Structures are given as C-alpha cells and as structure tokens.
Amino acid sequence: MTPTPTLEPNSPLHSEPTSTGGEAIIEIRHVARRYDMGAETIHALRDVSLTIRRNEYVAIMGPSGSGKSTLMNIIGCLDTPSGGDYYFEGELVSKMSDNELAQIRNQQIGFVFQTFNLLARNDAVKNVELPLVYAGVSRQDRHQRAVEALRQVGLEDRMTHKPNELSGGQRQRVAIARALVTRPSIILADEPTGNLDTATGVDIMRLFEDLWRKGNTIILVTHEEDVARNAARIIRVRDGKIESDGPNPNRIQMNTPTAPTTP
Amino acid sequence: MMQFLESIRLAVAALIANKMRGALTTLGVVIGIFFVLLMGWLLTGLDNVLDETLATFGDDILYVDKFNWAGEGDWFENRNRKNITFDQFERVRQRLASAAEYVIPTARANGASVRHGDEELTSAVIFGTTSQYIAMYGGNVKEGRFFSEIEEQSGGFVAVIGANVANSLFPKGDAIGRVVKIQGIPFTIIGVMPKRGSLLADMVDDQLLIPIRRFFGLYGNGIRVVINVKAGGVEHLEDVRYATLGAMREVRSIAPGQRDDFSINTQEQFRKQSDQLRAIVWGVGLVMTGLSLLVGSIGIMNIMFVSVVERTKEIGIRKAIGATRSSVLQQFLVEAILLCLIGTAIGVLLTSGVAYAGAYFAEKYWEIDVLDSTISISQLVLAVVVSLAVGVLAGIIPAFRASRLDPVEALRAE
C-alpha cells in the first residue's frame, strides 16, 4: 500500500503546519490510465497509489512524459482513471458522472495553471467570480467573495483591470484568487511559475507558502527542482509509476510577506 | 436562473467582441423575418380591403349572374350559359317584390370611349343601372344628384361619374352640367360619385353610371345583366336566396331536376376569392421566408461552430473551474438565440420602415388607405417565436459539441 508520508518540517518555525495529523483528502489506490491510440495502448499511469492529507504541501515531480500531467488531471477530476479507485474526501470519484465531477472541480479544487488561463474579456473581479457563478452564488455574494480573495493575494488595487493590463505575476495572483474563492479542499497548481521570471516566480511561491501556513492544502506539479524545493513533500513520477514519495529534505524556508515585490 | 442571466451577459459580451461577424451572420435571419412580417402586413391589408368591401356593399346582398364569382364550377360551362336579360330581371323583380328590399339590375361595358372636348378616356367603364342603385348601397353622390326614376324610365341621356373620371376630364371640379360624349353620344353629367379607392372590386371611381335603358340603347341587348338583390338584413338572406332561386328557375324555365344555369353570388364569395389570394401570398411568403431562414440558420450554425473552435480554451477553463455540460450548452445556445433575436430586431425595424413608407405612399399616390403603417403585435410575437426556433435549431448542434468537449483536451488548445 501507499507509504504514509511522515513529514518532518525542517524549519524551526512553530507556525509551520505538521501534515501528519490531517485526515486524508485524496486517496488514490492502484490507479492506471491507458490511452488507446489505434492498435497501440499507451500506459500513462500504471498502478499509482498515494494519499494526500489536509494541509499538506506536496510537489509532484517528473520529466515530461513521466505521467505527472495525467496524474494531475486525475487528481483534479478533469480525467478519470482507466483502472483503480480514487477517493476524494472519502467519495469515490473514479465512478462519478460528468456533472458530479464538474461539481467537485467547482467546489473542492482550485486550479492554478502555468498559462494563468484567465478569460481575456473579463476583468480581475469577474475572473475570480467565475467559479462562484457555476456554484450558484448570488451576484452580490460573488462580488464580495471575489474582492476578498483578490485582497488575500494582494491585488485589491487591480480589481477592474483586464488580464492584458496586468503583469504576469499579477495574472497568476488573479488565477490564485480564483482558485481560492470557493474555499476548496486542495489547490492544484500546474507549473505555476513556468511563465514567470525568477523574481516573480519567487513571489508566487511565497504566496503559496503563505496560503499553506493559513491552512490550505497545496499540490504543485512541476519539473523544476527549484520550485519543488518549496514543498514539504515530494512525489517523483517516472514512466507512469511513483518513483519516490517522501518528505523534502532540502526544503527552502521562505519569508512570507504577502505583498508582491513586483508591481 | 442566475446562470441563465450569466449566459445572456456572456453572449452579449461575445457578440460585442465580434460585431461585424455577428451582423453578417444575422443577415439571413433579417431577410427571413422581413419576409414573414411583410407577408403578414400585406395580408392585414388584404383583410382590410375585404372588410371595407363588405362594409361598402353590405353583407345582405345577392348577386345573380351567369358566372360564379368565386370561380367554382366549370368556367366554360358558365360562359356558355345564356345571359340574364333585362326582361328576365323585370320578371324576377316582380316575383321578389315582397321578399326583398331592393332588386336592381346592373350591366357594364369596359373600354368605352368618353370624350369631353379634346380630352378622351379610353379605359372608362360604362355602368347601367336604375335609380335605386344609390339608395341600395346606402351611399350618396358627392356632387349633384343621382338620376331619377323618370330619367331612368325614359332612358335619359344623363350620367353620374366616378371620382377618377371627374378628375381626368374636369380637373377644376366643374363637372356638373357639362356634356360628355359616350361612344359619340352626348350625355349630361348630373352627379359625381365620392371616391372609393382603387382596391375595391367594382372600380366605381372609373365608372360612368347611366340609366340602364339608355345603356342597352347604347350597347344593344347582348350584354348580360347582373341582378342585385338586397335582402334587407342578414337574417333574411337565406329566405331571400331561396325566393330568388325559385324566381330565377321559373323565369329561366328550368325544369325540376335540371341544374341551375345561373349563380347566386354573395359576399361570402369575395371572402373565398380573398382566401385564394391569401393562400398565394402565404405560399410565396412561406417559401421565401423558409429559404431565407434556412440560409440564416445555416449561417448562424456555421458561425457558432467557428465560435466553439475559437473558444475551445475558454470552454476548457470554464469546465476546469466547474462548468457543467448543461451550462456550457446553455451558454452557446443563448448566444445563437441572441444572434437570431438581433436579426429579428433588425428585420422588425426594416419591415416597420417599409410598412410606414408603404402605407404613406400608397395613400398619397394611389389612394389606397387599407395598408397599416405599423406591424401588429401578433406578427411581432410570431417573428420572435420563429427566431427563437431558428436560434435553437442553429445553435443546438454547435452548443452540444461545445458541451461535450473533454476538459483536458480543451485546456490544451491555444
């Protein structure tokens, strides 16, 4: 079975969460994902099992073609496994209907993408409101919660700006605000610094650290060691299998100012 | 509901982002709706003509003629029937004297030559009748007077002229007392009829009414007579019809068991004729409307497919953050419907303009006052319903395709 990760925080800070105590949010049991490409069958994932608990900070690492993106899509309920079971908050996701999956994505998962994936025509507030629209939240509440989420990521003075009026770092903050606004169980970030310069990337990683300290569960998908080093636990994927899974021995402790250093 | 409002907001935003494309796309719908409404407008005009005709002639009048006015039966058989003669009219009138309010004869000759000095009319209609004509139709002359019973009995050389005739020959309005030559024979004008408008079937405006005895003096007895029988109330119409039928059969010496060799026409037949016209207008209109709406819906469907492809990434994002299939479907369907409604709105504006201008010019230049200058509410409702249907038809397949997109694939799109 999956090794239960025991994460020893290597930081002296008392505020650092200990991730051993939380209940399991994600339980993946012998999950496989196959793609039928005509005569050939591609095994993107073979027999993957892992557990992620509340308030963990996990990096999923692996080179391209390793299966980490497939794993992320399955964790994010964008895709369903060809075999095995996936429990999200105790519910069997792998057998859910399209609509049920949409509901899980909407309410339990906050996505942060490499290319931000904001809607160009909408300003920051409208972008952040979007998940709440699909959750059926009233217009007024929606606005209020979006403003609150933007404040959390330090963008209260950019709320009516459209994505093309924002810097890369600011766009990613809007995307993070959008991920946070439904108060999801996990934040799932796919190469969140991939399109940012180093300094801005560091800002964004500080923001994730901060969010983690405030009790959020964060799953980073990356191929960059520098990014993964921020996480408390690293899962390495190769050839569709988990190569290693354990606490990050080289964790970098970040100072966590919430304000961005780039405009 | 909230998501529905959101869908409308999104659709508006998407359309604003692609104004030109949307405008071109709606062209087919614009034309389709234009035809629907134009057709409705014309039919309303037709109904007005009918109502006005009925109001003018009264709905309790029978027209006994050898022809069937609704075009029923064999036209050649009708044509070969013997004309109703003036003598037959006289005998029918005697038999109906107590049953009907009025029984009068009319006879007409088209393409008569009418001269006054150097002015000549070649398309005038000479109309022979009796002095009771004006009373039977409850009308009055505009100027002068109608001919009297004495003038009628004596076959006087007097004429009452229609408004167009008066305008053509006497533009100064001094027709009364003048002499015109009909087929070279002088007649004194004693009255001018009020203007009727040119859409009515009897063309009174182009007529010169003269005593029927004089008419036969002019044209001989070969011209057929139409016997006008006014029942004196719709409630008597059937009784009078029956009496007329009996009188006619007797006068025409039709043995029991033999078929009538005449027709008793009623206003109902105008209605039947107008129904035929209505069917033609509908037929042509529906084909044109159908074709343009088909083209319109294909255009919209096409543009919706393009829109779905262009916005694959957006669909992926929306699905990733929780949009269900039905909300994506709704989003694109609403957009297609909105496109159609915009086309409809343009079509309505266009038709309103045509209706307004059409009614104005028809009245000003042709004195046709039966066309409405606005589109009726029921036709607007029809247009909106049609456009909703077209929107759904055009949008459903692209919207369905959008809703079925795999979020992982869609997010990968650029």
Side-chain angles (χ1 to χ4, degrees):
Chain A
M1 289 299 283
T2 322
T4 308
T6 48
L7 296 175
E8 294 300 328
N10 60 348
S11 153
L13 279 175
H14 290 298
S15 62
E16 183 149 321
T18 53
S19 20
T20 43
E23 83 272 29
I25 295 175
I26 289 170
E27 285 187 84
I28 288 176
R29 300 276 170 263
H30 308 293
V31 156
R33 182 68 174 93
R34 293 177 293 272
Y35 296 99
D36 289 321
M37 313 291 266
E40 205 182 352
T41 300
I42 293 167
H43 295 268
L45 287 180
R46 310 158 186 261
D47 196 22
V48 168
S49 296
L50 59 86
T51 301
I52 294 173
R53 295 172 185 282
R54 193 169 301 287
N55 202 206
E56 274 201 83
Y57 189 175
V58 184
I60 297 175
M61 288 205 68
S64 60
S66 60
K68 70 174 191 300
S69 292
T70 306
L71 181 56
M72 181 200 74
N73 288 338
I74 286 176
I75 290 175
C77 296
L78 291 166
D79 196 3
T80 46
S82 321
D85 294 327
Y86 173 20
Y87 294 90
F88 193 104
E89 301 256 33
E91 288 189 77
L92 187 59
V93 171
S94 39
K95 298 282 184 290
M96 278 186 178
S97 72
D98 238 51
N99 277 349
E100 289 170 317
L101 288 174
Q103 199 182 348
I104 297 259
R105 290 198 294 269
N106 183 232
Q107 289 167 11
Q108 310 286 359
I109 299 168
F111 285 99
V112 178
F113 300 96
Q114 178 176 2
T115 51
F116 323 130
N117 285 351
L118 300 175
L119 298 185
R121 286 197 300 266
N122 292 4
D123 64 16
V125 179
K126 289 282 176 209
N127 263 294
V128 176
E129 279 185 23
L130 203 54
L132 300 177
V133 172
Y134 294 117
V137 177
S138 77
R139 183 175 274 265
Q140 212 176 358
D141 286 359
R142 224 150 72 191
H143 186 78
Q144 218 168 349
R145 284 169 66 175
V147 168
E148 179 51 38
L150 282 166
R151 194 168 286 141
Q152 261 184 288
V153 299
L155 275 185
E156 55 268 49
D157 55 346
R158 292 284 187 279
M159 291 198 285
T160 55
H161 291 230
K162 292 196 170 167
N164 61 7
E165 298 161 346
L166 296 168
S167 71
Q170 288 168 338
R171 287 184 211 181
Q172 197 58 299
R173 282 168 187 274
V174 174
I176 292 169
R178 182 179 65 187
L180 288 172
V181 76
T182 55
R183 299 181 196 111
S185 300
I186 61 167
I187 290 172
L188 189 54
D190 180 19
E191 305 279 10
T193 61
N195 274 25
L196 302 174
D197 62 51
T198 312
T200 313
V202 168
D203 279 344
I204 293 298
M205 294 318 295
R206 280 204 184 100
L207 183 53
F208 278 120
E209 172 104 13
D210 186 39
L211 293 173
W212 175 45
R213 283 175 191 286
K214 286 175 177 162
N216 289 289
T217 309
I218 293 168
I219 302 172
L220 278 179
V221 178
T222 183
H223 67 280
E224 285 183 71
E225 292 289 347
D226 282 352
V227 175
R229 265 192 300 178
N230 297 285
R233 170 185 167 195
I234 296 180
I235 300 170
R236 289 179 195 276
V237 183
R238 187 178 284 272
D239 298 331
K241 285 183 238 173
I242 291 182
E243 190 181 50
S244 68
D245 182 358
N248 177 7
N250 309 311
R251 197 172 122 67
I252 293 178
Q253 184 56 51
M254 290 196 128
N255 300 322
T256 60
T258 45
T261 55
T262 50
Chain B
M1 190 56 200
M2 197 171 341
Q3 274 193 32
F4 182 68
L5 292 176
E6 191 65 19
S7 296
I8 291 175
R9 202 183 64 78
L10 287 171
V12 170
L15 294 182
I16 288 172
N18 289 306
K19 285 184 219 68
M20 191 63 196
R21 197 168 79 182
L24 289 174
T25 306
T26 56
L27 208 58
V29 175
V30 170
I31 294 169
I33 293 299
F34 178 70
F35 278 134
V36 171
L37 291 178
L38 201 65
M39 189 170 67
W41 177 64
L42 287 172
L43 288 176
T44 309
L46 191 66
D47 285 342
N48 291 345
V49 172
L50 190 68
D51 290 346
E52 201 160 307
T53 306
L54 293 182
T56 305
F57 293 113
D59 48 10
D60 62 340
I61 296 178
L62 303 170
Y63 302 88
V64 186
D65 191 2
K66 73 171 183 175
F67 285 104
N68 183 305
W69 291 9
E72 290 162 354
D74 182 0
W75 188 82
F76 289 100
E77 193 260 303
N78 278 358
R79 195 195 56 176
N80 290 335
R81 288 168 172 179
K82 281 193 181 120
N83 283 345
I84 297 173
T85 63
F86 187 71
D87 180 55
Q88 286 171 352
F89 152 73
E90 292 278 26
R91 287 159 62 198
V92 167
R93 177 164 67 175
Q94 287 162 16
R95 281 164 178 76
L96 292 177
S98 59
E101 188 181 357
Y102 290 105
V103 183
I104 65 159
T106 57
R108 59 192 295 156
N110 296 333
S113 157
V114 177
R115 288 176 78 81
H116 171 72
D118 293 336
E119 295 287 326
E120 178 172 12
L121 295 180
T122 51
S123 61
V125 177
I126 309 301
F127 195 79
T129 186
T130 61
S131 57
Q132 286 182 317
Y133 174 88
I134 196 84
M136 171 162 167
Y137 288 107
N140 221 326
V141 291
K142 195 179 118 207
E143 290 172 55
R145 59 180 179 81
F146 207 76
F147 45 80
S148 66
E149 201 175 339
I150 295 170
E151 283 162 331
E152 173 208 318
Q153 295 291 337
S154 63
F157 293 87
V158 290
V160 176
I161 62 176
N164 288 350
V165 177
N167 273 343
S168 306
L169 296 179
F170 309 100
K172 290 183 199 151
D174 51 352
I176 307 294
R178 300 299 184 107
V179 173
V180 290
K181 284 186 173 171
I182 301 174
Q183 307 292 79
I185 295 167
F187 281 77
T188 304
I189 297 170
I190 56 168
V192 178
M193 295 294 281
K195 190 158 188 71
R196 279 261 182 93
S198 50
L199 276 184
L200 296 184
D202 65 349
M203 302 289 181
V204 163
D205 293 345
D206 293 317
Q207 285 174 355
L208 291 91
L209 295 91
I210 60 174
I212 195 158
R213 284 170 211 278
R214 179 51 44 213
F215 179 90
F216 287 118
L218 217 53
Y219 289 99
N221 289 327
I223 292 181
R224 76 180 209 273
V225 168
V226 176
I227 304 173
N228 299 218
V229 181
K230 187 175 173 70
V234 185
E235 66 277 14
H236 304 307
L237 195 60
E238 270 315 298
D239 290 343
V240 172
R241 184 193 187 89
Y242 191 75
T244 305
L245 185 69
M248 278 300 290
R249 287 182 69 90
E250 187 190 341
V251 165
R252 306 268 275 182
S253 311
I254 300 169
Q258 259 185 299
R259 278 172 47 181
D260 295 344
D261 64 349
F262 57 88
S263 291
I264 298 178
N265 300 288
T266 59
Q267 299 289 357
E268 273 308 298
Q269 268 141 320
F270 280 132
R271 221 177 261 287
K272 276 183 191 160
Q273 270 182 318
S274 96
D275 283 346
Q276 284 176 358
L277 187 55
R278 170 186 289 270
I280 292 168
V281 174
W282 264 108
V284 172
L286 277 184
V287 169
M288 285 160 90
T289 302
L291 279 178
S292 34
L293 286 179
L294 183 70
V295 170
S297 68
I298 289 172
I300 286 175
M301 191 185 293
N302 194 34
I303 221 70
M304 290 311 296
F305 274 127
V306 171
S307 184
V308 169
V309 170
E310 277 178 353
R311 282 149 70 190
T312 301
K313 179 96 174 181
E314 177 191 325
I315 296 164
I317 296 169
R318 289 180 183 277
K319 287 199 144 193
I321 61 177
T324 55
R325 280 179 181 174
S326 57
S327 49
V328 173
L329 184 97
Q330 181 180 287
Q331 179 186 338
F332 283 90
L333 206 52
V334 165
E335 195 174 316
I337 291 171
L338 200 66
L339 265 174
C340 279
L341 286 178
I342 288 171
T344 305
I346 298 171
V348 166
L349 286 179
L350 214 61
T351 322
S352 297
V354 168
Y356 187 82
Y360 175 79
F361 287 113
E363 179 139 24
K364 185 168 180 189
Y365 293 107
W366 299 295
E367 281 137 354
I368 296 170
D369 57 354
V370 293
L371 293 170
D372 291 342
S373 59
T374 51
I375 307 292
S376 74
I377 297 292
S378 60
Q379 282 158 26
L380 283 184
V381 171
L382 173 75
V384 170
V385 169
V386 165
S387 95
L388 285 177
V390 170
V392 171
L393 282 178
I396 192 78
I397 300 173
F400 184 74
R401 185 177 284 187
S403 76
R404 305 294 289 198
L405 283 176
D406 173 29
V408 175
E409 298 273 331
L411 277 170
R412 220 176 276 148
E414 269 318 316

